[in-house]
Amino acid sequence: MHKKLLILPFLLSSLSTAKTVETKDMRAKDYTKHYDTSSNVESTEDKVISSTAEASAQITIMVTLQATSEITSGRHGGTTATMSFLDNNRLDITEEIAKGKGEHLETLLSMMKLKKDKKSLTNIQTHFNELIYLSHNDFLEKLKTLA
């Protein structure tokens, strides 16, 4: 019995110095995924917009690289104003060639003193695939033969 009494005061003293632990309630949440409305699933419209943006970015990169190459190599076939206009508006001009009309395309043709009538615009539109990847100088030279 003597042994039990020694353990009891030790137990009581250790309980009095112990800190109180607060309880926390943990609840699970249901995160059921709805794949049909998920942002990872693209609609046809999203895919078209995405591919259009990607194509525009690729055209812009190609045009910038070609312009940089021409400037560093010192080739300038057109006037400074025409080259600057083409450099700043190549994407819009390319889109307007695909449509067969547009303000930027007509402005470029005016700057080059080329025809911008329906027949010329249609002829330029017909040669879209030939024009799209040309350097600035080659692009301007090709326009001269088409308008």
Side-chain angles (χ1 to χ4, degrees), residues 125-136:
Q125 181 184 25
T126 304
H127 291 87
F128 174 81
N129 288 333
E130 295 170 42
L131 291 165
I132 190 168
Y133 298 113
L134 295 176
S135 68
H136 282 4

Side-chain angles (χ1 to χ4, degrees), residues 59-70:
I59 290 170
T60 302
I61 290 168
M62 290 185 64
V63 168
T64 303
L65 291 173
Q66 289 173 348
T68 304
S69 172
E70 288 176 4

Side-chain angles (χ1 to χ4, degrees), residues 8-131:
L8 186 60
F10 177 76
L11 184 59
L12 289 174
S13 69
S14 64
L15 288 176
S16 66
T17 60
K19 295 183 180 177
T20 318
V21 177
E22 293 182 28
T23 59
K24 293 186 180 180
D25 291 338
M26 302 289 285
R27 294 194 168 94
K29 293 183 181 180
D30 184 11
Y31 287 105
T32 306
K33 292 187 178 186
H34 300 283
Y35 292 105
D36 57 333
T37 59
S38 171
S39 63
N40 292 336
V41 177
E42 291 184 321
S43 67
T44 302
E45 182 180 10
D46 290 339
K47 288 178 184 175
V48 169
I49 291 170
S50 176
S51 64
T52 302
E54 185 179 334
S56 295
Q58 288 175 357
I59 290 170
T60 302
I61 290 168
M62 290 185 64
V63 168
T64 303
L65 291 173
Q66 289 173 348
T68 304
S69 172
E70 288 176 4
I71 290 169
T72 57
S73 67
R75 295 185 312 157
H76 294 288
T79 66
T80 304
T82 304
M83 291 299 276
S84 177
F85 181 79
L86 180 59
D87 189 41
N88 291 321
N89 299 289
R90 180 79 183 247
L91 185 59
D92 292 320
I93 293 167
T94 302
E95 289 174 357
E96 291 173 3
I97 289 172
K99 294 176 189 174
K101 61 180 178 179
E103 183 178 337
H104 293 91
L105 176 58
E106 291 180 18
T107 301
L108 178 63
L109 295 174
S110 292
M111 292 174 79
M112 296 175 67
K113 297 179 174 57
L114 299 174
K115 295 178 187 174
K116 53 186 182 221
D117 58 359
K118 179 79 172 157
K119 182 181 175 185
S120 296
L121 292 172
T122 302
N123 192 33
I124 292 169
Q125 181 184 25
T126 304
H127 291 87
F128 174 81
N129 288 333
E130 295 170 42
L131 291 165

